[in-house]
Amino acid sequence: MILTDEEITAMLLSLKVAATAVAFSLPLGIAVAYLLSRRDFWGKTLLNGLVHLPLIMPPVVTGYLLLLSFGRKGAIGAFLDQWFGLVFSFRWTGAALAAAVMGFPLMVRAIRLSLDGVDRRLETAAATLGANPPSVFATVTLPLILPGIFAGSVLAFAKAMGEFGATITFVSNIPGETQTLASAIYTYTQVPGGDAAALRLTAISIALSLAALVGSEILARRMAARLGAP
């Protein structure tokens, strides 16, 4: 399978966007999952709903809201541009932001399920022996939820690789800058003679997503075996 320079660029950009989205959303994902799993507070149901909202809202709506908020004239986007020189709209960084938002619910859910499955008596025992809460989390909880973190990260990565609606609405479809695999496939389906290129990129997209899911399952099983899980 021979790819053109444009197709290779779209593939590499998709990998870059997905990796960046996961890397920057993972710490927040762990924190939010911990709050939802271990803390009771006013507005917990609302927070849970907001986290999972991108799963049920049309992706175009999510992209439009990102454009309103993080565009150059948006409240957040204008502030970031003026004070930090950070621009999201019509940039690959915006594609990463859109991908992170769309994959965040999957990441949080996987990590939260792992937290719910941790034996709280182990944490209590560590606290009884004098460990403070951060130490308990770092030495007891975190190792036990690593399979969930791996699973959530890979699910978010796979979602980011296939994201289209929010991305194209927020950052458009600019070759070499914001044109990911999904938007490149869409472009090729709209031009005469583009079916072959669309099929090549579709095959690559399927292969990458399947490899990510299989890899996640293998890593999760190995990690669970090391931790002595059944």
Side-chain angles (χ1 to χ4, degrees):
M1 182 185 299
I2 300 177
L3 302 178
T4 65
D5 291 340
E6 290 184 357
E7 293 167 7
I8 293 174
T9 298
M11 180 182 66
L12 294 178
L13 181 61
S14 291
L15 292 171
K16 178 182 178 180
V17 165
T20 302
V22 171
F24 281 89
S25 62
L26 183 56
L28 180 60
I30 295 174
V32 171
Y34 187 86
L35 281 176
L36 293 175
S37 176
R38 298 301 175 81
R39 295 288 185 265
D40 290 321
F41 53 91
W42 184 89
K44 180 178 179 178
T45 301
L46 177 61
L47 175 61
N48 185 62
L50 289 174
V51 167
H52 291 88
L53 194 59
L55 287 180
I56 59 174
M57 252 189 347
V60 173
V61 175
T62 302
Y64 183 61
L65 291 176
L66 287 174
L67 184 60
L68 291 178
S69 302
F70 290 89
R72 285 183 178 272
K73 295 182 180 180
I76 302 175
F79 173 79
L80 294 176
D81 184 18
Q82 180 179 357
W83 292 97
F84 301 99
L86 185 59
V87 178
F88 287 102
S89 57
F90 308 107
R91 301 283 181 86
W92 78 267
T93 50
L97 176 61
V101 170
M102 296 302 295
F104 193 70
L106 299 175
M107 176 186 292
V108 170
R109 182 169 180 79
I111 298 174
R112 182 182 180 180
L113 289 175
S114 290
L115 282 165
D116 291 342
V118 171
D119 188 347
R120 301 290 295 273
R121 292 173 296 182
L122 298 175
E123 297 172 327
T124 302
T128 302
L129 293 174
N132 55 36
S135 296
V136 171
F137 180 80
T139 60
V140 178
T141 310
L142 186 59
L144 292 175
I145 65 172
L146 281 179
I149 292 176
F150 279 124
S153 298
V154 174
L155 286 174
F157 182 87
K159 177 64 176 176
M161 286 290 296
E163 173 50 37
F164 174 71
T167 301
I168 201 169
T169 304
F170 183 33
V171 297
S172 189
N173 184 13
I174 306 171
E177 180 65 32
T178 65
Q179 188 177 77
T180 59
L181 274 175
S183 54
I185 292 171
Y186 172 78
T187 299
Y188 284 124
T189 62
Q190 303 302 306
V191 299
D195 291 343
L199 284 173
R200 287 196 298 268
L201 293 182
T202 297
I204 291 173
S205 180
I206 293 174
L208 290 174
S209 298
L210 186 59
L213 293 174
V214 172
S216 170
E217 182 68 18
I218 293 174
L219 286 173
R221 287 184 178 181
R222 289 183 176 178
M223 187 60 63
R226 291 182 180 180
L227 294 174

